[in-house]
Amino acid sequence: MRDTNEMTIIFDSRPVNEGFARVAAAAFLTQLNPTIEEVADVKTAISEAVTNAIIHAYGNEVHNIEIHCSITGNLFQVEVKDQGIGIEDIKQAMEPLFTTKPEEDRAGMGFAFMEAFMDHISVQSRAGEGTLVTMEKRIGKERETWTTQSL
Amino acid sequence: MRDTNEMTIIFDSRPVNEGFARVAAAAFLTQLNPTIEEVADVKTAISEAVTNAIIHAYGNEVHNIEIHCSITGNLFQVEVKDQGIGIEDIKQAMEPLFTTKPEEDRAGMGFAFMEAFMDHISVQSRAGEGTLVTMEKRIGKERETWTTQSL
Amino acid sequence: MNYKIQENYLTVYLPKEVDHYNAEEMRKEADLLITHNHIRYLIFDFGETEFCDSSGIGVIMGRYRLLNLLGGEVWAVHVGARMRKILTLSGVLNIMKIYEEERA
Amino acid sequence: MNYKIQENYLTVYLPKEVDHYNAEEMRKEADLLITHNHIRYLIFDFGETEFCDSSGIGVIMGRYRLLNLLGGEVWAVHVGARMRKILTLSGVLNIMKIYEEERA
Ligand SMILES: Nc1ncnc2c1ncn2[C@@H]1O[C@H](COP(=O)(O)OP(=O)(O)O)[C@@H](O)[C@H]1O
Ligand SMILES: Nc1ncnc2c1ncn2[C@@H]1O[C@H](COP(=O)(O)OP(=O)(O)O)[C@@H](O)[C@H]1O
């Protein structure tokens, strides 16, 4: 706890807040001195999870979405939590191209993007109770490798 | 409630989070299409209130600071809340140049800046129980006037 | 949405940030323009785009399906490194070609 | 902290954002430089500064007090519209003069 910096944001599940959520998380991430690429990765992953809460979990009704971010050393961790409809089959939901809303032009690539841009993702969900997406990313990996190699 | 967009951020009272807090609030404010000047005003006011919570309320110990923002029409409202030492004499505290930490080079201008940059500020506090600073600002006032005049 | 129509070409200038919030409006407006103007070539211009998530990919895929029915094609121009990564990752480069200006 | 020393002049290049977080380091470093280098003229350069709250004003006032004891002066350069508003509001323009390059 001593060396962990933490923040939580709670906001209405309105599409206009998608931008707010990813900028707030990126502002918190700044203290790790991330590259532009790392910031873009984190913003994209959070945008995916938040969009899913808005359209899938709450079906466009306005309820709360909660994001918890923590920084320990160079590890950035983020949780995105909703109390929406939940996911029946998590394994299937995470398959690339799988979507339950093709009529809204969803690409089914949300979880695939989260997996691609973060180091680790885990999804906890129960039908009718909501979903918790936890993601992690180590910031400055390239710099580390570079430093080690240059010794 | 219908037309009000709301968000809350809760974060550790570490100086490194001062920047995060004002950028997060500014990102939320964006939906009102504020001018650069209006964004700077809100960022400054929030920075003052957050800094006060860090140094005065908690005396540099790490505890929680909570910011609640809401947008109703063109009215932006923000509350900054701590559970720190509180303020004995609020009237005196709000006087320009008054500070209890001159040795840390505090200018005593925090509340004066909040008053100057926001339309309205109110402070609730009780010694030993913490402080709640509530501020309001109408966004787009100049644009409104301009539109009315041009009719 | 910023766009340009020349004969049966529609160029859509994508915004700085493409997410679900602004994708909604884009797909509706693009579909109207495509069907009302006998569009056969749709060009997504990413010149201004700094951020794009999978909602943007959904817009591209949906427009591809429509253009494909109409016997048309979808192209991308001004694709920076980040956008190229996202387009590659999502597999849309199999249905949409990138127009490389350097080679033109 | 970015700075430059020429004879008994110290120029401090203020960062993009001046708040309590980075003011702490600045005031300690500036005081060391002032006392160790017989500084009499302190110049705050706001050329890069986009944000400044009252913690920045505290840094200026504190350095003014020190320089005043030493018989020196505090100046500001590259002061944009926003910074001018903040400096005026806080009253520090009574103790610190703005160096106007246009008139020089
Ligand atoms: N927070 C959530 N609540 C309920 N269902 C979800 C949530 N997130 C994802 N899902 C389900 O998982 C599916 C796949 O999600 P994703 O890979 O992000 O693709 P997309 O959002 O394009 O549908 C969604 O179509 C939806 O059925
Ligand atoms: N959140 C707070 N908790 C406790 N005391 C506070 C708080 N905010 C302000 N104060 C008191 O009010 C005084 C004046 O505050 P301010 O005008 O912001 O000036 P400064 O921060 O420079 O001291 C402070 O010195 C402090 O004693």
Side-chain angles (χ1 to χ4, degrees):
Chain A
M1 270 300 287
R2 270 288 98 207
D3 296 338
T4 300
N5 190 8
E6 292 182 66
M7 71 89 164
T8 300
I9 60 182
I10 302 159
F11 55 97
D12 289 353
S13 59
R14 300 176 194 266
V16 70
N17 291 337
E18 292 162 11
F20 153 68
R22 60 179 183 260
V23 171
F28 185 71
L29 183 68
T30 307
Q31 63 191 288
L32 287 181
N33 208 13
T35 62
I36 292 175
E37 192 72 12
E38 286 166 335
V39 174
D41 289 352
V42 168
K43 282 172 91 170
T44 308
I46 290 175
S47 199
E48 298 298 347
V50 168
T51 302
N52 281 350
I54 292 173
I55 58 179
H56 299 302
Y58 294 133
N60 297 310
E61 280 179 23
V62 177
H63 298 287
N64 278 351
I65 298 173
E66 189 173 321
I67 296 183
H68 179 76
C69 293
S70 69
I71 285 175
T72 315
N74 67 348
L75 183 68
F76 175 76
Q77 205 192 33
V78 53
E79 294 169 6
V80 180
K81 194 164 87 182
D82 66 63
Q83 277 138 351
I85 61 164
I87 305 174
E88 298 245 2
D89 184 340
I90 298 176
K91 197 159 165 287
Q92 182 188 45
M94 294 182 77
E95 279 167 18
L97 300 176
F98 176 83
T99 181
T100 48
K101 289 213 193 281
E103 74 286 1
E104 287 185 21
D105 270 346
R106 302 303 304 163
M109 295 300 294
F111 281 124
F113 274 32
M114 294 183 239
E115 290 197 293
F117 293 127
M118 302 293 279
D119 294 341
H120 183 258
I121 167 174
S122 84
V123 180
Q124 282 170 263
S125 188
R126 206 187 272 254
E129 291 182 17
T131 300
L132 172 68
V133 177
T134 307
M135 298 181 279
E136 288 182 0
K137 190 178 181 74
R138 253 182 220 288
I139 302 300
K141 275 179 303 186
E142 277 97 47
R143 287 194 298 281
E144 261 172 50
T145 319
W146 184 84
T147 317
T148 316
Q149 281 174 347
S150 72
L151 288 177
Chain B
M1 270 300 288
R2 271 285 100 208
D3 296 338
T4 300
N5 189 8
E6 291 182 66
M7 72 89 165
T8 301
I9 59 183
I10 302 160
F11 55 97
D12 290 354
S13 60
R14 301 177 193 265
V16 70
N17 291 337
E18 292 162 10
F20 153 69
R22 60 181 182 260
V23 172
F28 186 70
L29 184 67
T30 306
Q31 62 191 288
L32 287 181
N33 208 13
T35 62
I36 292 175
E37 192 73 12
E38 287 166 336
V39 174
D41 289 352
V42 167
K43 283 172 89 169
T44 308
I46 290 174
S47 199
E48 299 297 348
V50 168
T51 302
N52 281 351
I54 293 173
I55 58 180
H56 299 302
Y58 294 132
N60 296 312
E61 280 180 25
V62 177
H63 298 288
N64 278 350
I65 298 173
E66 189 173 322
I67 296 184
H68 179 77
C69 294
S70 69
I71 285 175
T72 315
N74 67 348
L75 183 68
F76 175 76
Q77 205 192 34
V78 53
E79 295 170 7
V80 180
K81 194 164 88 182
D82 66 63
Q83 277 137 352
I85 60 164
I87 304 174
E88 300 244 359
D89 185 341
I90 297 176
K91 197 160 165 287
Q92 182 187 47
M94 294 181 77
E95 279 168 18
L97 300 175
F98 177 83
T99 180
T100 48
K101 291 214 192 284
E103 76 285 1
E104 287 184 23
D105 269 346
R106 301 305 302 163
M109 296 300 294
F111 281 124
F113 273 32
M114 293 183 240
E115 291 196 293
F117 293 127
M118 301 295 279
D119 295 340
H120 183 259
I121 167 175
S122 85
V123 181
Q124 281 169 264
S125 189
R126 205 188 273 254
E129 291 182 17
T131 300
L132 171 68
V133 177
T134 307
M135 298 181 278
E136 287 181 1
K137 190 178 181 74
R138 254 183 218 289
I139 303 300
K141 274 179 301 186
E142 279 97 48
R143 287 193 297 281
E144 262 172 50
T145 320
W146 183 86
T147 316
T148 317
Q149 283 173 346
S150 71
L151 289 176
Chain C
M1 187 180 77
N2 289 327
Y3 66 91
K4 185 177 71 181
I5 294 180
Q6 281 176 313
E7 298 178 25
N8 58 358
Y9 285 75
L10 168 64
T11 306
V12 172
Y13 300 96
L14 293 158
K16 228 172 121 182
E17 312 225 308
V18 182
D19 61 7
H20 159 253
Y21 176 54
N22 55 33
E24 288 297 280
E25 184 213 341
M26 270 166 43
R27 65 191 186 98
K28 281 175 198 148
E29 213 172 326
D31 284 0
L32 271 180
L33 291 170
I34 292 167
T35 47
H36 284 54
N37 297 276
H38 309 286
I39 299 299
R40 288 298 170 270
Y41 298 92
L42 172 57
I43 300 143
F44 286 111
D45 187 325
F46 290 96
E48 293 292 311
T49 306
E50 291 169 11
F51 176 87
C52 179
D53 66 16
S54 79
S55 301
I57 302 302
V59 175
I60 297 172
M61 286 180 166
R63 274 3 85 212
Y64 166 76
R65 261 177 244 124
L66 176 59
L67 265 293
N68 201 33
L69 283 176
L70 300 168
E73 288 178 11
V74 179
W75 287 80
V77 292
H78 300 132
V79 177
R82 176 79 194 174
M83 268 316 302
R84 186 178 291 268
K85 188 168 170 181
I86 285 168
L87 296 175
T88 309
L89 191 67
S90 59
V92 290
L93 291 189
N94 297 315
I95 56 172
M96 175 179 73
K97 272 157 254 161
I98 296 182
Y99 177 81
E100 311 272 2
E101 281 188 298
E102 287 77 353
R103 295 194 209 152
Chain D
M1 189 179 75
N2 289 328
Y3 67 90
K4 186 178 71 184
I5 294 179
Q6 281 177 309
E7 299 178 27
N8 58 358
Y9 284 75
L10 167 65
T11 306
V12 172
Y13 299 95
L14 293 158
K16 229 173 117 182
E17 312 225 308
V18 183
D19 61 8
H20 160 252
Y21 175 54
N22 54 33
E24 288 297 278
E25 185 213 341
M26 270 167 43
R27 64 191 186 97
K28 280 175 197 148
E29 213 171 326
D31 284 1
L32 271 181
L33 291 170
I34 292 166
T35 47
H36 284 56
N37 298 277
H38 309 286
I39 299 299
R40 288 298 170 271
Y41 298 92
L42 171 57
I43 299 143
F44 286 112
D45 187 327
F46 291 96
E48 293 292 312
T49 305
E50 292 168 11
F51 177 88
C52 180
D53 65 16
S54 80
S55 300
I57 302 302
V59 175
I60 296 173
M61 286 178 165
R63 273 4 85 213
Y64 166 77
R65 260 175 245 125
L66 177 58
L67 265 293
N68 201 34
L69 282 176
L70 300 169
E73 288 177 14
V74 179
W75 287 80
V77 292
H78 300 133
V79 178
R82 177 80 193 174
M83 268 317 300
R84 186 178 291 267
K85 187 170 170 179
I86 285 168
L87 297 175
T88 309
L89 190 69
S90 59
V92 289
L93 291 189
N94 297 315
I95 57 173
M96 173 179 76
K97 272 157 254 161
I98 296 183
Y99 178 80
E100 312 272 2
E101 281 187 299
E102 287 78 353
R103 297 193 209 150

